[in-house]
Amino acid sequence: MRVLQRRLADFAAARRWLPYHTPKNLVAALSVEAAELVEIFQWLTPEESAQVMDSPGTAARVEDEVADVLAYLLQFCQTLGIDPAAALSAKIERNEKRFPLPDTPDRHSPE
Amino acid sequence: MRVLQRRLADFAAARRWLPYHTPKNLVAALSVEAAELVEIFQWLTPEESAQVMDSPGTAARVEDEVADVLAYLLQFCQTLGIDPAAALSAKIERNEKRFPLPDTPDRHSPE
Amino acid sequence: MRVLQRRLADFAAARRWLPYHTPKNLVAALSVEAAELVEIFQWLTPEESAQVMDSPGTAARVEDEVADVLAYLLQFCQTLGIDPAAALSAKIERNEKRFPLPDTPDRHSPE
Amino acid sequence: MRVLQRRLADFAAARRWLPYHTPKNLVAALSVEAAELVEIFQWLTPEESAQVMDSPGTAARVEDEVADVLAYLLQFCQTLGIDPAAALSAKIERNEKRFPLPDTPDRHSPE
């Protein structure tokens, strides 16, 4: 992800876009891209939503929006000095405590 | 990112959450988490938005929401077989053609 | 809606919140409240989503978020001098031209 | 708003769109339209955001998105039997208790 962050930063700097890239603006842009992803799915049934990659046109659109979401997330993190992978790793650990696994029969099964 | 995707998939499978993880539901959840990030910034000036990491409480909240956005993005991609880093790399290449760099004096400088 | 707009404006003015109510901030807040509404529905099936008002707790939450969305929409419109009902009425007229009704058998039925 | 709700319901029914209008889908569409409004403002400064109605093209775009947000909000409320004006009125009353006005010198001034 660091290579991608570096390419995004170079890209924006070369086009003199960095003054627009305040954290506030970047999260707005992130939420707009997330909504563009939602838009693809908004009228689909759950079953149809699982088939979107079968249509090359829709698949390309989905991948394009995924790229936009990731791009703004990485630029936001870069601007504020956040390591997104470390943040997610820490969150998974907190969630493992918050949502402990239910005891299951085989874990409790007699030796 | 693959390690994180694996941990997220195991986490959800162990809690029997996978039936809820349709692509449609995952993008909705992604957009909700993006909005929770926006909420932190919604009343801030551009200048204040650049200082959010100075407050430990706000910094933790920002990192927590970044983790949630990344988590849903990775789970969405996993469900549909999308490689988010490859999607972003391809997008940057398309953008380099779409937004070509302006000619600059030194690139045009006489030999 | 004008009475509600007046009450919202008085409420914000009395609490000296108006400096925060730039159009940019108000649309961010609007999108956050819309996402809070989405959050209620994100893991529900289409069928479950039609039953949310059966639970008094969920019904109150839905109404609360509807109020928040409408509040920020009205304040945004007030700030920019937009009449939301007139805007919607004009849009419906445009849509009637954009999506004309299909000819139906009985409209074309022989005399 | 009731007249607009009736027109929207007739419009959707005539086009046989009602099966798509589950509450879950309508809130997704509402959030997408709110994001389209955010998109207009995402790179603007607070000052620029206050001037958007000065450009006829941008003004038309803003009014169009306002209409879309209101349309989906009204259709969502219609589907679930919610009165949005009553919900907002009740919310303002709750907020008046939640954010009481600070005592001000002249309210406390001796007679």
Side-chain angles (χ1 to χ4, degrees):
Chain A
M1 294 208 283
R2 271 154 216 265
V3 175
L4 288 167
Q5 276 185 313
R6 170 58 32 217
R7 285 176 68 191
L8 289 165
D10 290 347
F11 185 89
R15 281 151 191 83
R16 303 176 195 271
W17 291 353
L18 290 180
Y20 298 95
H21 284 192
T22 64
K24 182 178 173 114
N25 288 359
L26 289 168
V27 290
L30 169 68
S31 76
V32 168
E33 299 303 335
E36 291 183 5
L37 208 42
V38 171
E39 192 180 14
I40 300 172
F41 293 90
Q42 64 187 350
W43 305 121
L44 302 186
T45 64
E47 295 72 29
E48 289 166 342
S49 90
Q51 309 299 327
V52 288
M53 303 306 280
D54 293 353
S55 151
T58 310
R61 206 174 143 209
V62 169
E63 287 177 352
D64 196 59
E65 301 301 348
V66 161
D68 285 336
V69 169
L70 184 56
Y72 285 121
L73 183 66
L74 291 180
Q75 290 177 94
F76 172 78
C77 288
Q78 167 102 349
T79 302
L80 291 182
I82 294 168
D83 178 336
L88 176 51
S89 187
K91 174 89 187 208
I92 295 172
E93 277 157 41
R94 286 198 302 281
N95 274 348
E96 281 166 347
K97 285 171 194 146
R98 192 174 152 210
F99 301 103
L101 276 180
D103 289 332
T104 56
D106 42 14
R107 287 169 75 219
H108 270 223
S109 61
E111 57 297 312
Chain B
M1 295 207 281
R2 272 154 215 267
V3 175
L4 289 167
Q5 277 185 313
R6 172 57 31 217
R7 284 174 69 190
L8 289 164
D10 290 347
F11 185 88
R15 281 152 192 82
R16 303 175 195 272
W17 290 353
L18 291 180
Y20 299 96
H21 284 191
T22 64
K24 182 179 173 111
N25 288 359
L26 288 169
V27 291
L30 170 67
S31 76
V32 168
E33 297 304 334
E36 291 183 4
L37 208 41
V38 171
E39 192 180 14
I40 299 173
F41 292 91
Q42 65 187 350
W43 306 122
L44 302 186
T45 63
E47 296 72 29
E48 289 167 342
S49 90
Q51 309 300 325
V52 288
M53 304 306 280
D54 293 353
S55 151
T58 310
R61 210 174 140 206
V62 169
E63 288 178 351
D64 196 60
E65 301 300 350
V66 162
D68 285 337
V69 169
L70 184 57
Y72 285 120
L73 183 66
L74 292 180
Q75 290 177 94
F76 173 79
C77 288
Q78 167 101 348
T79 302
L80 291 182
I82 295 168
D83 178 337
L88 177 51
S89 188
K91 173 90 187 207
I92 294 173
E93 276 156 42
R94 286 198 302 280
N95 275 347
E96 281 167 347
K97 284 171 195 145
R98 192 173 153 211
F99 302 103
L101 275 181
D103 289 333
T104 56
D106 43 12
R107 287 168 77 217
H108 269 223
S109 61
E111 55 296 312
Chain C
M1 295 207 281
R2 271 154 216 265
V3 174
L4 288 167
Q5 276 185 314
R6 172 58 31 217
R7 284 174 69 190
L8 289 165
D10 289 347
F11 185 89
R15 281 153 192 82
R16 303 175 195 272
W17 290 353
L18 291 181
Y20 298 96
H21 285 192
T22 63
K24 181 179 173 113
N25 288 359
L26 289 168
V27 291
L30 170 67
S31 75
V32 168
E33 298 303 334
E36 292 184 3
L37 208 42
V38 171
E39 192 180 15
I40 299 173
F41 293 90
Q42 65 187 348
W43 306 121
L44 303 186
T45 64
E47 296 72 30
E48 288 166 343
S49 89
Q51 309 299 327
V52 288
M53 304 306 280
D54 292 353
S55 150
T58 309
R61 209 174 141 207
V62 170
E63 288 179 350
D64 197 58
E65 301 301 350
V66 162
D68 285 337
V69 170
L70 184 56
Y72 284 121
L73 182 66
L74 292 179
Q75 290 177 95
F76 172 78
C77 288
Q78 167 103 350
T79 302
L80 291 182
I82 294 169
D83 179 337
L88 176 51
S89 188
K91 174 90 186 208
I92 294 173
E93 276 157 41
R94 286 198 302 280
N95 274 348
E96 279 167 346
K97 285 171 195 144
R98 193 174 152 209
F99 302 104
L101 275 181
D103 289 331
T104 57
D106 43 13
R107 286 169 74 218
H108 268 224
S109 60
E111 55 298 311
Chain D
M1 295 206 283
R2 272 155 215 265
V3 175
L4 289 167
Q5 276 185 313
R6 171 58 31 215
R7 285 175 68 191
L8 290 164
D10 289 347
F11 185 88
R15 281 151 192 82
R16 303 176 195 270
W17 290 354
L18 290 180
Y20 298 95
H21 284 192
T22 64
K24 182 178 173 113
N25 287 359
L26 289 168
V27 292
L30 169 68
S31 76
V32 168
E33 298 302 334
E36 292 183 6
L37 207 42
V38 170
E39 193 180 13
I40 300 173
F41 293 90
Q42 65 187 349
W43 306 121
L44 302 186
T45 63
E47 296 71 29
E48 288 166 342
S49 90
Q51 309 299 327
V52 288
M53 303 306 280
D54 292 353
S55 151
T58 310
R61 208 175 142 207
V62 169
E63 287 178 352
D64 196 59
E65 301 301 349
V66 162
D68 285 336
V69 170
L70 184 56
Y72 285 120
L73 183 66
L74 292 180
Q75 289 177 95
F76 172 78
C77 287
Q78 168 101 346
T79 302
L80 291 182
I82 295 169
D83 178 337
L88 177 51
S89 187
K91 174 88 185 209
I92 294 173
E93 276 157 40
R94 285 199 302 280
N95 274 348
E96 280 167 346
K97 284 171 193 144
R98 192 172 151 211
F99 301 103
L101 276 180
D103 290 331
T104 56
D106 43 14
R107 286 167 77 218
H108 269 223
S109 61
E111 55 294 313

